Amino acid sequence: MRTSFTLAQLADPQLAECEKILRSCVHCGFCTATCPTYVLGGDERDSPRGRIYLIKDMIENDRPASTEVVTHIDRCLSCLACMTTCPSGVHYMHLVDYARARIERSYRRSLGERLTRAALAWLLPQNERLRWALRLARPLRPLAPLLGAIGAKPAAEMLRLAPRRVPEKVALGDGQVYRAAGERKGRVALMVGCVTPVIAPSILRAAIGVLTRHGIEVVLPKGQGCCGSIAHHLGREEEAQAAARRNVTAWSAELAMQGLDAILVTASGCGTTVKDYGFMLRTDSRFAQTGARVAAQAMDICEYLTRVALPIEAPTKPLIIAYHAACSLQHGQKITRAPKELLSRTGFVVKDIPEGHLCCGSAGTYNILQSNIAKMLRARKVSYIEKLEPDVVAAGNVGCITQIAAGTA
């Protein structure tokens, strides 16, 4: 793609990076075939290629974001299927992330949108705030249809997605260490995160159990927290970078003291962001080097477990598992074989879901902010899952689990 940025514009490292990405696009349109929003609606502006044109026009001409730009960027799931498909290696993720931050700086949203987005950024990254919000949501669930009818759709979707029962709080304190059973074969840090310990702490307990049972010591570094992806995808870059710095500080301290084989993440949406810390903090002289080091140490738990010699423990019943490949895992981290290999090696019957490259509609806060598209994608995904008649649906991202569970019995 031809660009015409000025030298003054290219002095900005962020714009220089955007220009590099734009120039790598050759307009081939392969991305349109795997973009969920284009597949659903057929609007070129809701395809990666169309969004690239909109972003180019905005930043090249140094314009504030227009309503048209905001509409079509907001509809992007950041599923990154386009990056898997693209033959030219266009790094769409970094381009759309920059566009979101620019929209946040230059566009005045409606009061309702501002309040909703601020509430999500304030609630979701904090365990206790989220726990209390979900407890409050339970008795308010019957109000969801009324809220939707009066135009408060995000609030209605928050109530519909809230679990009917909030699990009991699990003690996963800062600095806690879980010793390896028998001889220690490795040592890892486990990211606790923000949403998982509140709505699915069993995932973290299971991860710790599997790791320690196979000789891996697990530490929960003091001071870690939300990975920053919620703020990042809302365009709130200062908050996202603050979260990244906090985690880099916590994990770097653990690396310096006793060392770590890896920093493990059980939610692939978080893992994609953590693996991008080196890029996110590249212009920060204090954190650029440590951010890159942490990013290099980060691994999805499936990625790590495939490297550990797990003894095969056949299940009492060979359950049929429909494997949902989370976008952040298959497209964001390019991990496609490890989860299925682990499940197959331990005796389960694994079935791929047709159209597995298409998003389920979760995408962080997307199913709240863009509920109509999210519901269409969920219905499409669930219809394919139910045709497989599985005993279990397995997914590597808590957002996907929540989204799919809300659409099927």
Side-chain angles (χ1 to χ4, degrees), residues 197-281:
V198 178
I199 69 171
S202 58
I203 292 174
L204 296 168
R205 285 200 302 265
I208 293 166
V210 168
L211 289 163
T212 54
R213 191 163 68 246
H214 292 91
I216 310 299
E217 183 174 279
V218 180
V219 60
L220 310 181
K222 193 170 184 178
Q224 67 174 339
C226 172
C227 67
S229 61
I230 291 166
H232 189 49
H233 294 307
L234 290 171
R236 302 165 78 101
E237 277 308 283
E238 288 185 11
E239 293 173 35
Q241 290 180 0
R245 291 186 190 101
R246 181 183 61 242
N247 285 329
V248 166
T249 299
W251 295 331
S252 294
E254 201 63 49
L255 281 163
M257 285 190 293
Q258 295 191 48
L260 296 168
D261 299 323
I263 298 162
L264 301 188
V265 188
T266 60
S268 61
C270 303
T272 301
T273 297
V274 173
K275 288 183 176 183
D276 204 41
Y277 276 0
F279 181 84
M280 287 174 66
L281 300 173

Side-chain angles (χ1 to χ4, degrees), residues 11-161:
D12 179 336
Q14 289 186 305
L15 283 178
E17 182 65 26
C18 288
E19 196 246 7
K20 178 182 173 184
I21 296 168
L22 289 168
R23 288 178 70 87
S24 64
C25 178
V26 297
H27 323 280
C28 67
F30 282 15
C31 57
T32 61
T34 57
C35 174
T37 48
Y38 183 78
V39 168
L40 287 180
D43 188 331
E44 175 74 12
R45 296 168 299 176
D46 281 333
S47 73
R49 182 173 62 181
R51 292 185 180 110
I52 286 171
Y53 277 113
L54 292 171
I55 295 168
K56 175 182 181 292
D57 181 65
M58 174 177 65
I59 62 177
E60 197 173 58
N61 294 295
D62 197 22
R63 295 189 182 120
S66 65
T67 300
E68 180 189 31
V69 169
V70 174
T71 297
H72 297 289
I73 297 301
D74 281 356
R75 286 180 188 165
C76 175
L77 294 125
S78 277
C79 69
L80 309 180
C82 55
M83 287 179 59
T84 297
T85 312
C86 180
S88 304
V90 177
H91 207 302
Y92 177 81
M93 181 176 84
H94 289 159
L95 187 65
V96 80
D97 286 344
Y98 176 78
R100 289 195 173 106
R102 192 178 180 103
I103 288 168
E104 188 69 11
R105 293 193 304 269
S106 67
Y107 185 77
R108 182 76 169 173
R109 295 181 183 273
S110 69
L111 177 61
E113 285 184 308
R114 296 200 305 273
L115 289 174
T116 298
R117 295 166 76 89
L120 292 170
W122 186 76
L123 279 173
L124 294 179
Q126 299 293 331
N127 291 170
E128 288 307 312
R129 291 175 192 169
L130 178 58
R131 187 172 282 109
W132 280 107
L134 292 178
R135 285 174 179 164
L136 181 63
R138 184 179 177 185
L140 296 178
R141 281 178 70 97
L143 296 178
L146 175 61
L147 289 171
I150 64 174
K153 292 178 72 174
E157 291 310 313
M158 284 189 246
L159 291 178
R160 290 190 182 108
L161 288 166

Side-chain angles (χ1 to χ4, degrees), residues 230-396:
I230 291 166
H232 189 49
H233 294 307
L234 290 171
R236 302 165 78 101
E237 277 308 283
E238 288 185 11
E239 293 173 35
Q241 290 180 0
R245 291 186 190 101
R246 181 183 61 242
N247 285 329
V248 166
T249 299
W251 295 331
S252 294
E254 201 63 49
L255 281 163
M257 285 190 293
Q258 295 191 48
L260 296 168
D261 299 323
I263 298 162
L264 301 188
V265 188
T266 60
S268 61
C270 303
T272 301
T273 297
V274 173
K275 288 183 176 183
D276 204 41
Y277 276 0
F279 181 84
M280 287 174 66
L281 300 173
R282 70 195 185 284
T283 60
D284 186 324
S285 57
R286 184 181 168 196
F287 283 92
Q289 190 171 359
T290 51
R293 185 184 179 200
V294 160
Q297 290 283 111
M299 297 178 73
D300 185 81
I301 188 166
C302 288
E303 192 179 7
Y304 180 78
L305 287 174
T306 52
R307 302 184 185 187
V308 179
L310 292 177
I312 294 174
E313 300 172 16
T316 53
K317 179 185 176 184
L319 297 175
I320 297 172
I321 293 182
Y323 172 68
H324 167 70
C327 297
S328 45
L329 199 59
Q330 64 168 324
H331 303 308
Q333 299 182 52
K334 303 294 185 266
I335 297 171
T336 56
R337 295 178 58 185
K340 292 187 285 187
E341 283 181 0
L342 282 171
L343 291 167
S344 297
R345 278 168 52 190
T346 47
F348 297 103
V349 179
V350 182
K351 291 188 176 182
D352 285 321
I353 300 168
E355 280 193 353
H357 62 282
L358 285 186
C359 185
C360 67
S362 172
T365 58
Y366 191 93
N367 51 4
I368 295 170
L369 297 173
Q370 299 286 330
S371 58
N372 288 343
I373 298 173
K375 285 176 181 175
M376 285 190 281
L377 289 170
R378 180 175 66 197
R380 189 172 179 134
K381 182 69 66 176
V382 167
S383 71
Y384 282 122
I385 290 172
E386 291 184 341
K387 286 175 184 175
L388 298 177
E389 299 184 348
D391 299 305
V392 175
V393 182

